[in-house]
Amino acid sequence: MTTLDKNAIASVRPFPPEFLWGAATACYQIEGAVTADGRGPSIWDTFSHTPGAVWNGDTGDIACNHYHRMDEDLDLLQRLGVGAYRFSVAWPRVQPSGQGPANMRGLDFYRRLIDGLRRRDIEPTLTLYHWDLPQPLEDAGGWCVRDTAERFADYVDIVARALGTDVEHWITLNEPWCSSWLGYGAGEHAPGVKDIGKAAAANHHLLYAHGLAVPILRSAVPGAKVGITLNLGDHQPGSMHELDQAAAKRADGNLNRLFLEPVFHGRYPEDMLEHYRDVSPGFSVMRDGDLEVISQPIDFLGVNYYFPSTVIDASRESEARLAGYYVSPDVQFPDLNLRSIETPGRGKTSMDWEIKASGLTSLLVRIRDDYTDLPIYITENGAAFDDYVDPDNRVLDHNRVAYLQEHISAMHDALDAGVNVQGYFVWSLLDNFEWAFGYSRRFGIVWVDFPTGNRLPKESFHWYCETIRSNSVVYARSVGAE
Ligand code: GCO
């Protein structure tokens, strides 16, 4: 049941007729069935089963049980009216040990998924790597060693040949920053390593893997559109102080420029190479010719945007506190010597992430100005809130509706500024396994009752339906009104 009052909706700011609306998920976060049909273990199986690594000891063992409830989820997508669905393929389903011949039963699951999408007139957008490295490859060095990139190339070849005829849009990697810096630097994600030198090496090998995948996809899938998805941020200095300006530049260097510069300009940013000069192995793993591989032309850029960031130099922390700012205690990378501060009055999601939709606009304009005019897809955007099912069996997630509406409007601002944005994928279709936060953070536009697996579309689902149907920014003034 929906409380969306269609008469009270003002739909303004139409999008171009061909604008693509979608929803996104990732395999380990929703599939469950971790031993079904020959799937091998991934680093996220190992990590989530490590005591203390994930909130509440949650694991992806069952997750949303999407593996066994796929048809129901496809029906939800159809009801939603999306033109595209972004999902990821689990490498350990395709190659249980990370190398060797294809496991046909694993591939079959994705073949059925793609067929189901096609039957419903929904375009598959396939992400090849959303963080679930086969564990045996991690045991052999993981992304810190070059061989993993070569193995990735073999895996891509298998998937492209098996599924290529029905998939046009391919995303090589999802958020390589998270895989490298959260996985090997901060240790907050699998494989849980805390070593900056290894994180830098992983950064390079992931990008190299991306580069190796591009020509493989092009030769196996004629007409393929190939891209990469990056999580990018809009880093602002907390003040005009030159130390804070330099801190913002370091944050931007680590999150944004270490990925955008090699992919689009064929080089690593000098200041970052200098910053990581003494870590081992760091960027010394780079070989002649790698940057050409990494920077070969792609067809689109996927951008994931969630929150803004305001940073100061670590030395100015007490000054900021005295001035009344909240300084985040979370110092992921001590070497970067910076602190995040909160801007008073800004709303926050239950991830404790600040909300600033205009950060998306400035990020998109900056990508266009500094890097590329290629089509951009917002491959993820969304928010976790403390949802609940009310006594009438509804989830009235007005805060999520507001968040999505503001960000879709901010994306429209970027279109108005001439940025080539061609699509938007909400994160996420379903409440799911939110990595180190387990099931404690709900990002879905569909509620999942984890003990039973039952699905319940939230208010935001109905609102997004209307957005897609009207192809415009929908201001649902009386959403939730009785
Ligand atoms: C991400 C991840 C998602 C997260 C989402 C919310 O790409 O960071 O792709 O898996 O669930 O970002 O944190």
Side-chain angles (χ1 to χ4, degrees), residues 207 257-264 266-268 291 294-295:
L207 289 178
R257 289 184 288 116
L258 272 177
F259 296 87
L260 288 164
E261 298 254 333
V263 168
F264 290 108
R267 58 170 190 249
Y268 282 109
L291 284 165
I294 292 170
S295 62

Side-chain angles (χ1 to χ4, degrees), residues 282-402:
F283 289 96
S284 72
V285 297
M286 183 172 24
R287 296 197 191 152
D288 283 352
D290 284 3
L291 284 165
E292 283 78 64
V293 172
I294 292 170
S295 62
Q296 64 203 290
I298 52 177
D299 304 303
F300 65 90
L301 174 66
V303 173
N304 293 355
Y305 175 84
Y306 288 94
F307 54 87
S309 137
T310 311
V311 298
I312 56 172
D313 188 87
S315 66
R316 296 184 20 87
E317 178 171 349
S318 40
E319 242 174 290
R321 283 191 202 283
L322 281 174
Y325 284 100
Y326 175 76
V327 182
S328 169
D330 186 16
V331 180
Q332 278 171 334
F333 305 110
D335 63 285
L336 286 173
N337 211 26
L338 48 84
R339 299 285 179 273
S340 294
I341 62 170
E342 286 184 1
T343 301
R346 239 178 230 167
K348 290 206 276 181
T349 71
S350 66
M351 294 295 283
D352 230 16
W353 293 344
E354 286 185 286
I355 302 173
K356 186 188 175 205
S358 64
L360 175 60
T361 318
S362 31
L363 172 65
L364 291 172
V365 168
R366 187 259 181 122
I367 293 170
R368 191 265 320 269
D369 290 348
D370 291 355
Y371 296 103
T372 183
D373 227 352
L374 282 177
I376 291 176
Y377 294 95
I378 307 302
T379 39
E380 283 178 32
N381 173 243
F385 288 107
D386 296 330
D387 304 324
Y388 60 92
V389 181
D390 75 9
D392 297 321
N393 205 34
R394 301 170 308 182
V395 180
L396 298 181
D397 55 340
H398 303 148
N399 33 20
R400 182 171 294 101
V401 169

